[in-house]
Amino acid sequence: MIAELAKGMGITLKHFFQTPVTIQYPDVQRPVRNRFKGRHELKRYDNGLEKCIGCSLCAAACPADAIFVEAAENTDDERYSPGERFARVYEINMLRCIFCGYCEDACPTEAIVLEHNYELSFYDRQSAIYTKDMLIVDVPVNGRPTPQVVEPGVFTKAIPEMENPA
Ligand code: SF4
Ligand code: SF4
């Protein structure tokens, strides 16, 4: 009996001096792995144009039917993205999303990327639908917001030859 008690106390004492594995979330956040798939972001080129061309391939690839895209036509006086079309509406239902990353794999312009944010709590179903305004990243420092007025004939290709058109 005494021996068992001493053994138990020994184990307690051993753990008492070990570094705790728990962290004080949310004050402290555990870093995630590079390959972690969290909340999506819609990316822009360096000049501010949106990478998304409204092709809906991400929605077609999504096994959870979580993505809704509605495309509209670009003009050179009102250009959101290179090429003919842009995403006028882009929504992801985070209650449906299983964070598989198929949307990212399917995207021909690398517009949709699952980043590292995992803080996705909400109180009602409507708040689980992330809109384009919520998903799109800020305009880069040297870029301009969309829609842009651009020179005719410059951004005719949906996938620009340059990675980041000036
Ligand atoms: S991560 Fe998967 S489930 Fe979520 S929106 Fe993309 S394809 Fe759909
Ligand atoms: S995110 Fe990519 S795959 Fe989805 S509509 Fe935009 S360009 Fe197409």
Side-chain angles (χ1 to χ4, degrees):
M1 172 77 174
I2 300 285
E4 277 78 18
L5 266 176
K7 195 175 163 193
M9 290 308 289
I11 291 171
T12 306
L13 208 62
K14 192 176 91 185
H15 285 272
F16 190 75
F17 294 107
Q18 284 180 356
T19 313
V21 291
T22 48
I23 55 167
Q24 296 300 316
Y25 180 84
D27 297 329
V28 182
Q29 294 191 349
R30 196 189 298 280
V32 297
R33 305 271 178 180
N34 281 342
R35 64 183 181 185
F36 179 84
K37 294 183 190 305
R39 178 193 184 286
H40 312 62
E41 285 185 357
L42 278 171
K43 301 294 186 183
R44 292 179 187 267
Y45 292 105
D46 285 350
N47 65 358
L49 283 179
E50 298 164 16
K51 289 191 173 183
C52 178
I53 53 172
C55 67
S56 291
L57 284 175
C58 52
C62 178
D65 199 14
I67 304 179
F68 176 72
V69 185
E70 193 176 285
E73 301 284 322
N74 280 308
T75 64
D76 286 328
D77 290 331
E78 205 172 315
R79 181 163 288 285
Y80 290 81
S81 64
E84 284 177 26
R85 302 196 303 166
F86 70 100
R88 194 182 69 77
V89 179
Y90 193 101
E91 292 175 353
I92 300 180
N93 186 337
M94 294 297 175
L95 284 176
R96 282 177 168 258
C97 179
I98 54 170
F99 298 91
C100 62
Y102 283 7
C103 49
E104 184 177 317
D105 293 344
C107 182
T109 60
E110 298 178 359
I112 188 83
V113 179
L114 281 82
E115 291 288 0
H116 291 169
N117 183 356
Y118 51 83
E119 296 183 306
L120 300 169
S121 53
F122 28 75
Y123 293 103
D124 57 81
R125 299 178 76 83
Q126 189 59 38
S127 308
I129 297 171
Y130 280 49
T131 61
K132 180 178 170 184
D133 285 345
M134 295 160 79
L135 295 167
I136 198 154
V137 295
D138 292 340
V139 177
V141 180
N142 296 320
R144 287 184 290 141
T146 45
Q148 296 180 5
V149 179
V150 299
E151 264 186 61
V154 176
F155 296 108
T156 50
K157 291 186 177 169
I159 300 176
E161 280 160 13
M162 286 176 291
E163 196 178 318
N164 261 314

